[in-house]
Structure formats: structure tokens, C-alpha cells
Amino acid sequence: MALLADPDTPTEVAQRMARDLPARLAGRFGRRGRFDVEVVSEPFTAGTEDLSTLTRRILDRGREERWDIVVALTDLPLHAQGHKIVVELSHEHGLALLSLPSLGGVRFQKKAGRAVEEAVLSLAGAQPSQAEEPGHRRTLEGFTSSLASVRRAPVGDEEAADLMYVVGGPRGYLRILGGMVRANRPWRLVPGLSKALAAALATGAIATVNSTLWTLAASLSTPRLVIATVGSVALMISWLIVDAHLWHRATDSSPEARKRAALYNASTVVTVGIGVLVCYVGLLVVNWLWALFILNDQAFFSLTRTPLHATEYWTLAWFVASVATVGGALGSSLENEEAVRAAAYSKREQERRRMLDDQD
């Protein structure tokens, strides 16, 4: 059997899974079971989001390589007949297609491993009990029952699949959004914003020794500091999205296209937001350490009439981090657009956006 995986996150998931998948399958299938697992990394979703086209590509690839069973993994959120797909199976062709974002962003690897295991057992004809008739088609209810909002859906006559599970409702939407964000790996945005971080650090270093900011910080209440934080982070997120052209517009006016665009844009905002928040926390720590080193008790008291205690260090560092984040937003305009996209998105998402740009 083969695990056919899109590059980047799906391939990493498949490679980790392949280490112990044969033993787990053999243990559950019984003494007759022996599984050789091959991981093949290739962009089988390149240039299309159409489910029928993807299924046909997987079938052709399976016939070409003569795989008995092929399980395809993608970090693309799949849609069919208004549903968001978790997994679909074709027992006739020994095929399964799993959309990794539908598993959410928590315990991602474990859920993916269990989904693939159940799919392979179903395709291989495993029988959960002796009381069932020979040739009984095993479903994935044991796996899907642990995921809220997942249900079995009817399969269209034109589809090659004979079993499909979809996700719906607000919880299902949030799970897919979390899975997309995890696939983008937003923590990679931090080193990708080197020029913006340099501008923010320089702004923070200068602001910390500015006596006017000492006075402002000493007079600010906690609610105002929170407002400054929210405002500066929102400005940074907005600037990055606008400057790097990260906002996605629907390709047509259909409700399905608008929902898909909303999902992609939500994943963009959350991905960039997490990256910016990580940068903000880093700036806060650096500015606090710099304040501990540079501030003088007598000078601070003479200007602010406030004794220099731990609270004052923290307040100043907090306020300066917000000011520095605004400076970082301006510095982010020096970043290359492609560099920001590469830092913020998975390879599959970068490819999808390049394809849409070419169409425009």
C-alpha cells in the first residue's frame, strides 16, 4: 500500500505515520495481515480543488504503480455538494482521500494516524467480528464518533467513492480553520519578518530611553495599555495582509465560493495574528530586559515623580512593545512579498495562491 501525500505538512505526517503503521495494521487485521507501506510525496492536488479530478488522479497513479491500497493525504480543505469532507473511500478501487485540516489543530498526528488506520482496515476488508457476513464493508464510525460534528454523507452517482464522511456546523468550521492554521505553521512567520523585527527592536531601544515615554507609561492605566496592545497588533496584522496581498477574493459570486474565500481569509488572519503575537511577546521580553539595564532610579523619579519599582519596569516595557510593534509594521513594508507568503503559508497554500494570481 502507499501513502500518497502532498508536499510539506502532509508528507511529514505520512513519514512519521509510516514508522509504526504496518505493525498497528498487522496487529488489528490478524495473522493474515501483512502491510508494506510506501510514502510517496508529490503535489497531486496541483492546479485543482475539484474532488472528482483529484480522485481520478489518485486512481490513475494507483493503477500506474499497481498499488493494492492508496491513501492520499492533503492539507487542502475539500468540498463537495456543499459539504466539507473529512475522508472519502472507494472500496472498489482501494482508495481513500483524507483532508487533514478537517482533523483540527490539536492532537493532529494522532488523529491522522487513526483515520488512516481505520481507512486501510476498511479497504482491506477487515471484519470487526465473526458474526458479520463475509465481505461486510467496514465503516469508520469508530473513528468519526470521536470527532464532534462529523457525519456520514450520501455519495453522488457520478463519484468514484462509495463512503464519505463530512463535517458541518460551527464546531466543524472551527476544526477545519484550526487544521488550516496548523498546516500553515504560523511560528515560521517570526524569522520571515527579519526586517520588520529589526525595525521594531530599533524602535523599542530608542523608545525605552525616551523620557517622554517614561512619563506616558507611568500615567497609563491597564485598560489603556490593553487598548494600545490590541491596536498595535491589529495594525501590524492589517499592514502585513494588505502589503503582501494576502487577502483572497472569491473567484465567482456563488455562495460556495464566498464561503471558501471566507475560510481562507480567516485562516490568513489567524495565521498572521499568531505570528505577530509571538513577535509582540518577544519584543515585550527584550524591552523589559533593556529597561532593567538602562533605567536609573533617580532620573526616572525626577521626571515622573514615581518611584521605580517592578511595576514601572513592566508598564514601560509593555507600552514600548506596542510602540515598537507600530514601528515593525512600517518596517514590514521592506520585506519581499514572496518572502512573507513563504513564511506565512504552507507550500500547498502558496501554490494555490500563485495559481489564483495567474488566473487573475
Side-chain angles (χ1 to χ4, degrees), residues 264-280:
Y264 281 124
N265 287 329
S267 71
T268 295
V269 171
V270 176
T271 297
V272 176
I274 292 174
V276 171
L277 284 174
V278 172
C279 292
Y280 187 92

Side-chain angles (χ1 to χ4, degrees), residues 149-169:
S149 306
V150 175
R151 57 184 175 82
R152 187 172 174 178
V155 181
D157 296 335
E158 71 282 359
E159 298 289 340
D162 51 49
L163 187 62
M164 180 184 295
Y165 288 90
V166 299
V167 66

Side-chain angles (χ1 to χ4, degrees), residues 157-215:
D157 296 335
E158 71 282 359
E159 298 289 340
D162 51 49
L163 187 62
M164 180 184 295
Y165 288 90
V166 299
V167 66
R171 293 181 65 181
Y173 179 90
L174 291 175
R175 183 186 301 118
I176 291 178
L177 178 61
M180 293 175 67
V181 172
R182 189 201 179 284
N184 287 338
R185 291 180 292 189
W187 50 88
R188 297 186 304 182
L189 187 61
V190 177
L193 293 176
S194 56
K195 294 184 177 65
L197 283 173
L201 289 171
T203 303
I206 295 173
T208 302
V209 299
N210 188 308
S211 58
T212 302
L213 284 182
W214 296 358
T215 305

Side-chain angles (χ1 to χ4, degrees), residues 73-325:
L73 308 176
T74 180
D75 55 0
L76 186 71
L78 300 177
H79 305 262
Q81 303 174 9
H83 300 301
K84 299 177 180 67
I85 296 175
V86 179
V87 60
E88 71 162 14
L89 290 86
S90 172
H91 291 81
E92 178 183 356
H93 302 98
L95 175 150
L97 175 59
L98 174 63
S99 175
L100 293 176
S102 65
L103 303 178
V106 181
R107 296 184 299 160
F108 189 72
Q109 184 71 39
K110 182 178 180 180
K111 291 178 182 177
R114 187 177 177 191
V116 170
E117 184 178 338
E118 294 289 342
V120 173
L121 289 172
S122 180
L123 295 174
Q127 299 181 13
S129 73
Q130 297 296 326
E132 293 173 343
E133 298 178 0
H136 173 80
R137 182 169 295 165
R138 181 187 178 113
T139 65
L140 275 65
E141 300 294 347
F143 163 69
T144 57
S145 61
S146 63
L147 296 177
S149 306
V150 175
R151 57 184 175 82
R152 187 172 174 178
V155 181
D157 296 335
E158 71 282 359
E159 298 289 340
D162 51 49
L163 187 62
M164 180 184 295
Y165 288 90
V166 299
V167 66
R171 293 181 65 181
Y173 179 90
L174 291 175
R175 183 186 301 118
I176 291 178
L177 178 61
M180 293 175 67
V181 172
R182 189 201 179 284
N184 287 338
R185 291 180 292 189
W187 50 88
R188 297 186 304 182
L189 187 61
V190 177
L193 293 176
S194 56
K195 294 184 177 65
L197 283 173
L201 289 171
T203 303
I206 295 173
T208 302
V209 299
N210 188 308
S211 58
T212 302
L213 284 182
W214 296 358
T215 305
L216 287 173
S219 64
L220 286 177
S221 62
T222 300
R224 288 191 175 186
L225 287 170
V226 171
I227 292 173
T229 298
V230 173
S232 61
V233 169
L235 176 62
M236 182 71 159
I237 294 171
S238 302
W239 187 269
L240 283 172
I241 291 175
V242 172
D243 190 58
H245 302 93
L246 302 182
W247 198 254
H248 170 64
R249 291 180 174 83
T251 54
D252 55 68
S253 58
S254 66
E256 185 64 31
R258 289 198 296 269
K259 289 180 181 178
R260 187 175 301 180
L263 182 62
Y264 281 124
N265 287 329
S267 71
T268 295
V269 171
V270 176
T271 297
V272 176
I274 292 174
V276 171
L277 284 174
V278 172
C279 292
Y280 187 92
V281 173
L283 288 172
L284 182 61
V285 173
V286 171
N287 290 327
W288 178 71
L289 293 173
W290 177 237
L292 286 176
F293 174 75
I294 203 71
L295 291 187
N296 178 272
D297 292 358
Q298 294 181 350
F300 189 86
F301 181 79
S302 65
L303 290 168
T304 65
R305 299 303 175 185
T306 303
L308 187 57
H309 300 306
T311 302
E312 281 63 44
Y313 282 110
W314 168 253
T315 302
L316 179 62
W318 189 356
F319 182 54
V320 168
S322 299
V323 175
T325 300

Side-chain angles (χ1 to χ4, degrees), residues 59-74:
L59 287 174
D60 292 342
R61 192 73 171 90
R63 293 192 187 103
E64 179 185 336
E65 298 293 338
R66 297 184 179 181
W67 292 323
D68 295 325
I69 294 174
V70 54
V71 179
L73 308 176
T74 180

